[in-house]
């Protein structure tokens, strides 16, 4: 790449020396350090800027032997020094910003691994794939959440979405995930687990200095218990979008018979949790997601019709299915989501006998 600005300087010197006296191409030398700054660091940019000054001096010597370094050439050399110095400073600031951005990305990725741990590819008789799409270009994590925990006879999963954005939503997501991981493996019923999770969220919102948020912050969630030795899935839906089961290319939305209020509103609503059950057989694919998927809009404002779009899809591999879904979703919105979106694809495999 550096050969381009050097070749440019050589060409300018040769053409300027051979050109008629009324044609001056010396000012074009400033393009050499400008081009270098677009791909190189401060040291190489400074070197090319110094070579541009030397090239301007060579032009002055070869063209005006009787009046070396006339006022015109002095002005051009001064301009090259000024522009070259500015470009070097720009490169220094750019590299500093790049280092800071790299550090921020590292911290963000570390926080994502700690808060939103990747789901295992295999857990019990299930094969799982997960995907998180952040709405912000540089963000790695937001208020969407998911986790999976093994019990002695089942796999418990949670997928949820914290109301709001920013670091507050990340903190609320971390709190709920910690409570879920701490309690889900215990031999408690699904109702007891959800009651505990709701109490944990309510307690967090009632901390000193945050009482004014009660009723304003909450977390929608679907908590599922997928049994190992049975094709049944127990679910409590707390205001979350319903799962979808794909069987032989046919997509079925699993609507809750009696959905519960979002987590964090239990002290206001005093819910009586109802457990819904549905079939999830060997070979089926279960899709869990957050509202960032179904609320994604295209250029006309139309929502993404998830159930209609996945109907007929034949991917049996959860990873391949989510790859297809990601591509189709981003095509629908034109490449940029308006809200974070999380997706989990689960396939039940035969239980070893």
């Amino acid at each position: 790449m550096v050969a381009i600005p050097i070749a440019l300087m050589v060409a300018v010197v040769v053409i300027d020396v051979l050109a008629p006296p009324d044609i001056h191409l010396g000012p074009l030398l400033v393009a050499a350090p400008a081009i270098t700054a677009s791909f190189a660091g401060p040291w190489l940019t400074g070197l090319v800027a110094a070579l541009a000054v030397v090239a301007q001096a060579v032009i002055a010597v070869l063209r005006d032997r009787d009046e070396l370094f006339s006022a015109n050439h002095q002005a051009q050399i001064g301009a090259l020094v000024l522009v070259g110095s500015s470009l070097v400073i720009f490169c220094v600031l750019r590299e500093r910003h790049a280092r800071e951005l790299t550090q921020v990305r590292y911290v963000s990725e570390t926080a994502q691994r700690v808060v939103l741990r990747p789901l295992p590819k295999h857990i019990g008789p299930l094969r799982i794939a997960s995907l998180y799409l952040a709405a912000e270009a540089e963000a790695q994590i937001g208020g969407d959440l998911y986790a999976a925990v093994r019990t002695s006879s089942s796999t418990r999963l949670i997928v949820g979405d914290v109301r709001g954005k920013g670091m507050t939503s990340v903190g609320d997501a971390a709190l709920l995930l910690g409570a879920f991981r701490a309690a889900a493996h215990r031999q408690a019923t699904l109702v007891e687990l959800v009651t505990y999770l709701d109490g944990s969220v309510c307690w967090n919102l009632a901390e000193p200095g945050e009482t004014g948020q009660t009723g304003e912050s909450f977390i929608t969630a679907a908590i599922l218990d997928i049994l190992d030795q049975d094709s049944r899935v127990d679910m409590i839906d707390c205001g979350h979008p319903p799962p979808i089961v794909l069987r032989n290319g046919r997509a079925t939305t699993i609507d809750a018979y009696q959905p519960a209020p979002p987590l964090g509103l239990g002290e206001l609503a005093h819910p009586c949790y109802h457990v819904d059950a549905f079939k999830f057989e060997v070979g089926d694919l279960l899709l869990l997601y957050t509202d960032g998927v179904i609320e994604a809009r295209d250029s006309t404002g139309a929502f993404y019709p998830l159930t209609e779009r996945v109907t007929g899809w034949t991917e049996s591999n959860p990873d391949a299915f989510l790859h297809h879904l990601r591509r189709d979703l981003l095509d629908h919105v034109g490449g940029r989501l308006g809200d974070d979106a999380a997706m989990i694809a689960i396939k039940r495999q035969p239980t070893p006998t």
Side-chain angles (χ1 to χ4, degrees):
M1 293 292 289
V2 72
I4 296 176
I6 292 177
L8 174 62
M9 288 189 291
V10 172
V12 169
V13 172
V14 172
I15 296 175
D16 193 286
V17 171
L18 299 178
D22 57 336
I23 297 179
H24 300 279
L25 299 181
L28 294 179
L29 289 171
V30 73
I35 293 174
T36 306
S38 66
F39 63 85
W43 288 104
L44 186 56
T45 301
L47 175 61
V48 172
L51 291 177
V53 173
V54 173
Q56 182 60 52
V58 170
I59 292 175
V61 171
L62 296 179
R63 291 204 57 164
D64 300 321
R65 298 176 184 270
D66 298 333
E67 187 181 353
L68 294 179
F69 298 110
S70 63
N72 179 48
H73 290 300
Q74 292 179 16
Q76 293 184 33
I77 290 175
L80 282 172
V81 171
L82 178 61
V83 173
S85 301
S86 300
L87 289 171
V88 170
I89 294 174
F90 165 77
C91 289
V92 170
L93 295 176
R94 182 184 62 189
E95 288 197 346
R96 181 182 302 172
H97 176 72
R99 288 194 298 269
E100 292 174 351
L101 183 59
T102 299
Q103 184 177 10
V104 169
R105 285 175 175 169
Y106 173 76
V107 173
S108 175
E109 291 171 359
T110 302
Q112 182 184 38
R113 288 192 294 269
V114 172
V115 177
L116 195 65
R117 302 173 191 170
L119 296 180
K121 295 294 184 181
H122 297 273
I123 180 168
L126 307 177
R127 186 174 180 181
I128 301 177
S130 59
L131 178 63
Y132 194 105
L133 298 177
E136 298 295 332
E138 301 299 337
Q140 299 291 327
I141 186 173
D144 290 7
L145 58 97
Y146 50 74
V149 173
R150 280 291 295 167
T151 71
S152 59
S153 60
S154 68
T155 300
R156 288 181 168 176
L157 294 104
I158 184 173
V159 58
D161 185 6
V162 180
R163 177 187 180 275
K165 300 180 182 296
M167 292 306 299
T168 300
S169 65
V170 175
D172 292 341
L175 172 89
L176 179 60
L177 288 174
F180 176 78
R181 293 179 181 126
H185 68 282
R186 299 175 182 171
Q187 299 303 316
T189 66
L190 203 58
V191 171
E192 292 172 336
L193 173 61
V194 176
T195 302
Y196 171 77
L197 295 179
D198 181 74
S200 298
V201 176
C202 290
W203 172 84
N204 179 65
L205 297 180
E207 284 188 321
E210 299 198 14
T211 53
Q213 293 185 12
T214 303
E216 297 179 7
S217 296
F218 53 82
I219 304 175
T220 66
I223 300 91
L224 294 86
D225 195 12
I226 304 177
L227 304 180
D228 292 347
Q229 302 299 330
D230 197 335
S231 61
R232 188 180 88 248
V233 176
D234 293 332
M235 177 186 72
I236 295 180
D237 189 311
C238 299
H240 199 74
I244 295 175
V245 173
L246 284 93
R247 180 176 300 140
N248 300 322
R250 180 182 178 184
T252 303
T253 301
I254 309 299
D255 292 307
Y257 174 75
Q258 187 177 342
L263 301 175
L265 300 182
E267 292 185 350
L268 300 177
H270 304 290
C272 180
Y273 294 111
H274 174 79
V275 178
D276 290 283
F278 60 91
K279 291 291 185 180
F280 178 43
E281 300 175 345
V282 173
D284 291 351
L285 191 140
L286 174 64
L287 176 62
L288 309 175
Y289 54 93
T290 59
D291 60 8
V293 176
I294 56 176
E295 292 180 359
R297 299 173 181 263
D298 62 11
S299 58
T300 66
F303 290 116
Y304 181 71
L306 177 60
T307 304
E308 297 177 13
R309 297 298 280 263
V310 301
T311 297
W313 290 9
T314 57
E315 288 90 350
S316 60
N317 185 304
D319 288 292
F321 181 87
L322 287 190
H323 179 74
H324 188 176
L325 179 57
R326 177 184 184 275
R327 184 174 63 249
D328 191 62
L329 178 63
L330 293 180
D331 287 343
H332 178 80
V333 299
R336 175 66 67 84
L337 291 173
D339 191 12
D340 291 357
M343 293 158 273
I344 306 172
I346 308 166
K347 182 181 179 182
R348 184 189 285 276
Q349 303 184 111
T351 303
T353 56

